Amino acid sequence: MYTPPKQCWLPAEKGKGMEIWGTFSRKPNPATPGIGVIEMELTFTNKSMAPMANFAIQVNKNSFGLTPARPLQVMSPLLPSLSVEASLPMATTGAVQRMEPLTNLQVAVKNNLDVFYFACIVPINVYFMEDGEMERKTFLTTWKEIPTQNEVQFTLTNIALGADAIVSRMKQNNVFTIAKRNVEGKDMLYQSLRLTNGIWVLNELKIQPGDPSVTLSLKSRSSDVAQDIFHAYDAILHAPA
């Protein structure tokens, strides 16, 4: 499954020498086969002159109820000039409050020096559930039931993958192809996904063989997720194989 590269969430000058880089991933969970776990993947670097210890983390209410599933565990003491990796399992059982942008997450990290605050963007694809394959008849019915004004269209550019490769790549990321048709020389893919909060998203991809532009038409009863879904498709289809 696609995991974005780590970004600097807390620069050393704002963290009294503590620098934090991070990203989010979704991985298989041995404890619950068939249901993945979201992980916050962190790199802590001590750029100060003193050891650091007593690390802890909290997150604010957010759109998807994302919250740590256990306390943060960081090797302590973290000595000057050293870096250490930490992986924190996350649950979606926390308090919900709509954020702007939708996937924004406000975080507080504590150590023996102080409490530090930063915000980061959670890539929406980590919320794609493993059971997001909609039954074909249900897909057709749902597509018709969702109002036309809820349909949003995007153009994906510089796509080097053909229809079958797109099917495979998206399936690895819990986006499931319900049907594939060829209409007037164009490959049409109909795909579904389900977010952890129960929202279904239905997608139609129009692919012209040899044309690197792909048209993505998206329908959901909650159309405010559309922009983030488009960004997820864009990142996943441009990721190195």
Side-chain angles (χ1 to χ4, degrees):
M1 181 171 270
Y2 171 70
T3 300
K6 285 182 178 175
Q7 295 183 326
C8 184
W9 287 345
L10 182 72
E13 58 267 24
K14 291 187 176 178
K16 294 185 179 178
M18 178 174 68
E19 185 171 273
I20 301 175
W21 286 65
T23 187
F24 291 89
S25 63
R26 188 178 184 91
K27 295 179 177 175
N29 185 0
T32 54
I35 302 176
V37 61
I38 299 170
E39 294 197 357
M40 180 188 273
E41 298 182 12
L42 302 149
T43 302
F44 290 85
T45 302
N46 184 352
K47 294 191 172 182
S48 76
M49 304 295 286
M52 294 178 180
N54 305 330
F55 294 90
I57 194 168
Q58 281 189 332
V59 304
N60 282 357
K61 296 177 185 177
N62 56 83
S63 303
F64 289 85
L66 196 65
T67 189
R70 62 162 171 77
L72 176 65
Q73 296 171 358
V74 179
M75 184 185 73
S76 296
L78 180 57
L79 300 176
S81 302
L82 291 186
S83 294
V84 66
E85 307 287 327
S87 189
L88 181 64
M90 306 290 285
T92 51
T93 53
V96 174
Q97 178 179 305
R98 184 190 162 86
M99 301 296 290
E100 192 59 51
L102 191 68
T103 59
N104 192 39
L105 187 69
Q106 296 172 337
V107 183
V109 173
K110 179 185 83 72
N111 64 14
N112 57 310
L113 302 177
D114 208 339
V115 180
F116 306 97
Y117 302 91
F118 61 86
C120 56
I121 298 296
V122 182
I124 200 167
N125 61 290
V126 302
Y127 298 119
F128 294 178
M129 294 288 286
E130 287 70 20
D131 62 355
E133 186 168 5
M134 188 177 273
E135 198 272 329
R136 189 168 180 162
K137 285 184 180 177
T138 308
F139 184 97
L140 289 168
T141 304
T142 307
W143 185 275
K144 290 174 184 174
E145 286 176 353
I146 296 173
T148 307
Q149 59 265 32
N150 279 37
E151 184 172 348
V152 187
Q153 197 169 89
F154 300 96
T155 301
L156 296 154
T157 58
N158 299 317
I159 302 299
L161 304 174
D164 290 342
I166 289 174
V167 168
S168 174
R169 179 75 63 91
M170 297 312 297
K171 186 177 182 180
Q172 292 168 3
N173 289 274
N174 293 342
V175 180
F176 301 92
T177 300
I178 311 305
K180 177 185 174 186
R181 296 168 56 203
N182 189 280
V183 180
E184 297 175 355
K186 292 184 176 69
D187 289 319
M188 309 290 289
L189 302 180
Y190 301 91
Q191 298 183 328
S192 69
L193 65 93
R194 190 172 81 89
L195 298 169
T196 53
N197 58 5
I199 291 173
W200 285 90
V201 182
L202 281 55
N203 305 305
E204 176 197 79
L205 277 77
K206 192 179 295 181
I207 304 156
Q208 176 75 53
D211 186 343
S213 295
V214 173
T215 303
L216 168 63
S217 300
L218 181 153
K219 268 191 168 188
S220 176
R221 299 189 196 280
S222 179
S223 54
D224 52 357
V225 301
Q227 192 71 39
D228 291 296
I229 300 294
F230 162 66
H231 287 313
Y233 264 86
D234 197 53
I236 291 165
L237 294 180
H238 283 104

PDB file of all heavy atoms in Angstrom, residues 148-164:
ATOM      1  N   THR A 148     -26.863  14.025  -9.063  1.00  0.00           N
ATOM      2  CA  THR A 148     -25.866  14.451 -10.049  1.00  0.00           C
ATOM      3  C   THR A 148     -24.982  15.557  -9.504  1.00  0.00           C
ATOM      4  O   THR A 148     -23.788  15.628  -9.822  1.00  0.00           O
ATOM      5  CB  THR A 148     -26.575  14.929 -11.333  1.00  0.00           C
ATOM      6  OG1 THR A 148     -27.477  13.904 -11.763  1.00  0.00           O
ATOM      7  CG2 THR A 148     -25.577  15.194 -12.442  1.00  0.00           C
ATOM      8  N   GLN A 149     -25.558  16.446  -8.675  1.00  0.00           N
ATOM      9  CA  GLN A 149     -24.750  17.559  -8.134  1.00  0.00           C
ATOM     10  C   GLN A 149     -23.647  17.071  -7.188  1.00  0.00           C
ATOM     11  O   GLN A 149     -22.734  17.819  -6.842  1.00  0.00           O
ATOM     12  CB  GLN A 149     -25.617  18.612  -7.434  1.00  0.00           C
ATOM     13  CG  GLN A 149     -26.443  18.114  -6.264  1.00  0.00           C
ATOM     14  CD  GLN A 149     -27.858  17.754  -6.666  1.00  0.00           C
ATOM     15  OE1 GLN A 149     -28.088  17.314  -7.788  1.00  0.00           O
ATOM     16  NE2 GLN A 149     -28.804  17.962  -5.757  1.00  0.00           N
ATOM     17  N   ASN A 150     -23.721  15.802  -6.781  1.00  0.00           N
ATOM     18  CA  ASN A 150     -22.669  15.219  -5.933  1.00  0.00           C
ATOM     19  C   ASN A 150     -21.545  14.586  -6.754  1.00  0.00           C
ATOM     20  O   ASN A 150     -20.600  14.058  -6.189  1.00  0.00           O
ATOM     21  CB  ASN A 150     -23.253  14.151  -5.001  1.00  0.00           C
ATOM     22  CG  ASN A 150     -23.918  14.752  -3.779  1.00  0.00           C
ATOM     23  OD1 ASN A 150     -24.548  15.800  -3.881  1.00  0.00           O
ATOM     24  ND2 ASN A 150     -23.797  14.091  -2.646  1.00  0.00           N
ATOM     25  N   GLU A 151     -21.675  14.643  -8.091  1.00  0.00           N
ATOM     26  CA  GLU A 151     -20.627  14.074  -8.940  1.00  0.00           C
ATOM     27  C   GLU A 151     -19.552  15.131  -9.193  1.00  0.00           C
ATOM     28  O   GLU A 151     -19.846  16.262  -9.573  1.00  0.00           O
ATOM     29  CB  GLU A 151     -21.205  13.579 -10.264  1.00  0.00           C
ATOM     30  CG  GLU A 151     -20.162  12.896 -11.132  1.00  0.00           C
ATOM     31  CD  GLU A 151     -20.769  12.224 -12.362  1.00  0.00           C
ATOM     32  OE1 GLU A 151     -22.012  12.088 -12.431  1.00  0.00           O
ATOM     33  OE2 GLU A 151     -19.999  11.836 -13.256  1.00  0.00           O
ATOM     34  N   VAL A 152     -18.305  14.737  -8.950  1.00  0.00           N
ATOM     35  CA  VAL A 152     -17.168  15.646  -9.144  1.00  0.00           C
ATOM     36  C   VAL A 152     -16.213  14.986 -10.122  1.00  0.00           C
ATOM     37  O   VAL A 152     -15.957  13.782 -10.039  1.00  0.00           O
ATOM     38  CB  VAL A 152     -16.446  15.931  -7.805  1.00  0.00           C
ATOM     39  CG1 VAL A 152     -15.374  17.001  -7.985  1.00  0.00           C
ATOM     40  CG2 VAL A 152     -17.432  16.361  -6.723  1.00  0.00           C
ATOM     41  N   GLN A 153     -15.680  15.785 -11.053  1.00  0.00           N
ATOM     42  CA  GLN A 153     -14.812  15.236 -12.087  1.00  0.00           C
ATOM     43  C   GLN A 153     -13.417  15.850 -12.004  1.00  0.00           C
ATOM     44  O   GLN A 153     -13.264  17.057 -11.779  1.00  0.00           O
ATOM     45  CB  GLN A 153     -15.415  15.476 -13.475  1.00  0.00           C
ATOM     46  CG  GLN A 153     -14.829  14.607 -14.562  1.00  0.00           C
ATOM     47  CD  GLN A 153     -15.632  14.694 -15.856  1.00  0.00           C
ATOM     48  OE1 GLN A 153     -15.366  15.545 -16.694  1.00  0.00           O
ATOM     49  NE2 GLN A 153     -16.627  13.820 -16.010  1.00  0.00           N
ATOM     50  N   PHE A 154     -12.427  15.012 -12.172  1.00  0.00           N
ATOM     51  CA  PHE A 154     -11.025  15.446 -12.147  1.00  0.00           C
ATOM     52  C   PHE A 154     -10.302  14.840 -13.347  1.00  0.00           C
ATOM     53  O   PHE A 154     -10.743  13.838 -13.903  1.00  0.00           O
ATOM     54  CB  PHE A 154     -10.314  14.956 -10.872  1.00  0.00           C
ATOM     55  CG  PHE A 154     -10.923  15.441  -9.593  1.00  0.00           C
ATOM     56  CD1 PHE A 154     -11.827  14.639  -8.892  1.00  0.00           C
ATOM     57  CD2 PHE A 154     -10.595  16.678  -9.062  1.00  0.00           C
ATOM     58  CE1 PHE A 154     -12.387  15.069  -7.705  1.00  0.00           C
ATOM     59  CE2 PHE A 154     -11.143  17.111  -7.880  1.00  0.00           C
ATOM     60  CZ  PHE A 154     -12.039  16.316  -7.194  1.00  0.00           C
ATOM     61  N   THR A 155      -9.178  15.435 -13.712  1.00  0.00           N
ATOM     62  CA  THR A 155      -8.308  14.863 -14.735  1.00  0.00           C
ATOM     63  C   THR A 155      -6.970  14.499 -14.113  1.00  0.00           C
ATOM     64  O   THR A 155      -6.297  15.345 -13.514  1.00  0.00           O
ATOM     65  CB  THR A 155      -8.084  15.855 -15.897  1.00  0.00           C
ATOM     66  OG1 THR A 155      -9.351  16.185 -16.483  1.00  0.00           O
ATOM     67  CG2 THR A 155      -7.203  15.227 -16.966  1.00  0.00           C
ATOM     68  N   LEU A 156      -6.622  13.231 -14.213  1.00  0.00           N
ATOM     69  CA  LEU A 156      -5.309  12.737 -13.769  1.00  0.00           C
ATOM     70  C   LEU A 156      -4.371  12.813 -14.962  1.00  0.00           C
ATOM     71  O   LEU A 156      -4.689  12.293 -16.041  1.00  0.00           O
ATOM     72  CB  LEU A 156      -5.428  11.296 -13.271  1.00  0.00           C
ATOM     73  CG  LEU A 156      -6.305  11.093 -12.033  1.00  0.00           C
ATOM     74  CD1 LEU A 156      -6.879   9.682 -12.007  1.00  0.00           C
ATOM     75  CD2 LEU A 156      -5.512  11.350 -10.775  1.00  0.00           C
ATOM     76  N   THR A 157      -3.231  13.457 -14.818  1.00  0.00           N
ATOM     77  CA  THR A 157      -2.326  13.662 -15.942  1.00  0.00           C
ATOM     78  C   THR A 157      -1.047  12.832 -15.779  1.00  0.00           C
ATOM     79  O   THR A 157      -0.695  12.415 -14.673  1.00  0.00           O
ATOM     80  CB  THR A 157      -1.955  15.151 -16.074  1.00  0.00           C
ATOM     81  OG1 THR A 157      -1.360  15.600 -14.852  1.00  0.00           O
ATOM     82  CG2 THR A 157      -3.192  15.995 -16.370  1.00  0.00           C
ATOM     83  N   ASN A 158      -0.384  12.612 -16.910  1.00  0.00           N
ATOM     84  CA  ASN A 158       0.898  11.888 -16.943  1.00  0.00           C
ATOM     85  C   ASN A 158       0.797  10.495 -16.309  1.00  0.00           C
ATOM     86  O   ASN A 158       1.673  10.092 -15.546  1.00  0.00           O
ATOM     87  CB  ASN A 158       2.003  12.698 -16.257  1.00  0.00           C
ATOM     88  CG  ASN A 158       2.234  14.029 -16.943  1.00  0.00           C
ATOM     89  OD1 ASN A 158       2.262  14.100 -18.164  1.00  0.00           O
ATOM     90  ND2 ASN A 158       2.385  15.085 -16.164  1.00  0.00           N
ATOM     91  N   ILE A 159      -0.290   9.793 -16.597  1.00  0.00           N
ATOM     92  CA  ILE A 159      -0.471   8.434 -16.080  1.00  0.00           C
ATOM     93  C   ILE A 159       0.144   7.445 -17.081  1.00  0.00           C
ATOM     94  O   ILE A 159      -0.304   7.346 -18.228  1.00  0.00           O
ATOM     95  CB  ILE A 159      -1.964   8.114 -15.858  1.00  0.00           C
ATOM     96  CG1 ILE A 159      -2.602   9.125 -14.891  1.00  0.00           C
ATOM     97  CG2 ILE A 159      -2.130   6.683 -15.337  1.00  0.00           C
ATOM     98  CD1 ILE A 159      -1.998   9.150 -13.503  1.00  0.00           C
ATOM     99  N   ALA A 160       1.154   6.721 -16.635  1.00  0.00           N
ATOM    100  CA  ALA A 160       1.867   5.797 -17.526  1.00  0.00           C
ATOM    101  C   ALA A 160       1.278   4.393 -17.495  1.00  0.00           C
ATOM    102  O   ALA A 160       1.733   3.514 -18.220  1.00  0.00           O
ATOM    103  CB  ALA A 160       3.349   5.757 -17.141  1.00  0.00           C
ATOM    104  N   LEU A 161       0.275   4.161 -16.653  1.00  0.00           N
ATOM    105  CA  LEU A 161      -0.283   2.821 -16.461  1.00  0.00           C
ATOM    106  C   LEU A 161      -1.494   2.601 -17.359  1.00  0.00           C
ATOM    107  O   LEU A 161      -2.312   3.513 -17.546  1.00  0.00           O
ATOM    108  CB  LEU A 161      -0.698   2.628 -15.003  1.00  0.00           C
ATOM    109  CG  LEU A 161       0.384   2.867 -13.938  1.00  0.00           C
ATOM    110  CD1 LEU A 161      -0.230   2.787 -12.547  1.00  0.00           C
ATOM    111  CD2 LEU A 161       1.510   1.848 -14.071  1.00  0.00           C
ATOM    112  N   GLY A 162      -1.626   1.375 -17.875  1.00  0.00           N
ATOM    113  CA  GLY A 162      -2.830   1.002 -18.598  1.00  0.00           C
ATOM    114  C   GLY A 162      -3.934   0.575 -17.639  1.00  0.00           C
ATOM    115  O   GLY A 162      -3.744   0.530 -16.417  1.00  0.00           O
ATOM    116  N   ALA A 163      -5.094   0.223 -18.205  1.00  0.00           N
ATOM    117  CA  ALA A 163      -6.265  -0.089 -17.376  1.00  0.00           C
ATOM    118  C   ALA A 163      -5.998  -1.236 -16.403  1.00  0.00           C
ATOM    119  O   ALA A 163      -6.325  -1.143 -15.212  1.00  0.00           O
ATOM    120  CB  ALA A 163      -7.459  -0.418 -18.273  1.00  0.00           C
ATOM    121  N   ASP A 164      -5.398  -2.333 -16.884  1.00  0.00           N
ATOM    122  CA  ASP A 164      -5.172  -3.489 -16.004  1.00  0.00           C
ATOM    123  C   ASP A 164      -4.197  -3.143 -14.880  1.00  0.00           C
ATOM    124  O   ASP A 164      -4.370  -3.594 -13.732  1.00  0.00           O
ATOM    125  CB  ASP A 164      -4.641  -4.678 -16.811  1.00  0.00           C
ATOM    126  CG  ASP A 164      -5.696  -5.263 -17.742  1.00  0.00           C
ATOM    127  OD1 ASP A 164      -6.895  -4.988 -17.524  1.00  0.00           O
ATOM    128  OD2 ASP A 164      -5.321  -5.978 -18.697  1.00  0.00           O
TER     129      ASP A 164
END
